[in-house]
Amino acid sequence: MYFILNKTIKFYPDTNELAIINEQDNSIVLSKPASRLLLTLINHLNVVVTRDYLLKTVWEDYGYTPSNNNLYMAISELRKSFSSLNGGESILVTVPKVGLRLEALVDALEKGGNAEEKKETRTETEIEPLAEEKPGEEEEKKISSIYRLKSNTGVKVKISLALILSSLAIFLFNLEENVPIKIL
């Protein structure tokens, strides 16, 4: 299966490839995360998909560490690819502090021998918009334990620093002027 975006760009999820229709020689191979991101946005067409959902489905579900930087890099890669294929980067719409939306006319086509069969045309997704999820009890415990760990680490560093400084002060205080310091 492959997709045609706005009647101009073909997207092959199997090979992570974007190409202009009728110009297969002029194609761009996307990174796997950028390809998974585009496929996720196609599956949620014209719906704002939250950053948390994208991080989970594009990175975490595949065993990678999700981060906002990874997401921004994949979005940038997609925009540059669309721009270089003259497809317009404006089909990727950032909704500040919420997420991302793909605004495009998408045709899903099946590859089949010599004839290609049009499966469906989508202008809107059939999937309900994603609601903001609130952390459950387990997630709240995990978050609070992370904060506790961070605060405990700061206390341990301060105590260690205080011990080192006090040891140094005692050493310097007890040091006599006439006694040479021996370095082992």
Side-chain angles (χ1 to χ4, degrees):
M1 175 178 281
Y2 67 97
F3 301 94
I4 297 179
L5 306 172
N6 286 344
K7 308 273 186 208
T8 57
I9 297 176
K10 287 184 182 180
F11 170 54
Y12 298 93
D14 298 341
T15 58
N16 305 326
E17 188 176 9
L18 282 177
I20 297 175
I21 292 179
N22 301 327
E23 290 184 35
Q24 198 60 29
D25 296 336
N26 187 14
S27 67
I28 296 173
V29 177
L30 300 171
S31 66
K32 288 182 181 183
S35 182
R36 289 192 302 261
L37 174 62
L38 181 55
L39 188 59
T40 302
L41 291 171
I42 288 171
N43 288 330
H44 297 87
L45 192 59
N46 293 319
V47 173
V48 177
V49 184
T50 64
R51 285 181 297 190
D52 292 336
Y53 182 80
L54 291 172
L55 290 171
K56 182 182 181 318
T57 58
V58 175
W59 283 274
E60 194 174 322
D61 289 353
Y62 288 87
Y64 297 104
T65 304
S67 74
N68 284 327
N69 188 46
N70 290 341
L71 179 60
Y72 300 143
M73 294 297 289
I75 292 169
S76 175
E77 180 181 351
L78 287 175
R79 285 190 171 134
K80 287 177 184 175
S81 299
F82 287 137
S83 179
S84 68
L85 293 173
N86 296 324
E89 57 213 50
S90 63
I91 64 173
L92 285 178
V93 178
T94 300
V95 179
K97 301 187 189 252
V98 179
L100 198 63
R101 177 178 61 238
L102 180 68
E103 289 183 349
L105 175 66
V106 177
D107 295 321
L109 298 152
E110 289 287 337
K111 289 187 215 177
N114 292 335
E116 293 178 345
E117 179 184 318
K118 190 171 185 177
K119 190 171 182 184
E120 61 181 290
T121 299
R122 291 192 256 175
T123 55
E124 291 190 22
T125 186
E126 292 79 34
I127 300 171
E128 291 296 315
L130 298 172
E132 287 291 323
E133 295 178 8
K134 294 185 179 178
E137 200 171 305
E138 285 183 33
E139 290 176 4
E140 286 179 8
K141 287 179 184 177
K142 203 185 284 187
I143 291 169
S144 66
S145 68
I146 289 171
Y147 286 123
R148 233 180 296 124
L149 268 175
K150 285 183 181 178
S151 64
N152 286 345
T153 304
V155 170
K156 289 176 185 176
V157 168
K158 289 175 185 175
I159 291 172
S160 299
L161 188 58
L163 286 174
I164 290 171
L165 288 176
S166 62
S167 299
L168 183 63
I170 291 171
F171 173 75
L172 292 174
F173 183 72
N174 290 330
L175 185 66
E176 294 179 9
E177 289 181 8
N178 296 338
V179 179
I181 299 174
K182 293 182 181 178
I183 299 175
L184 300 177

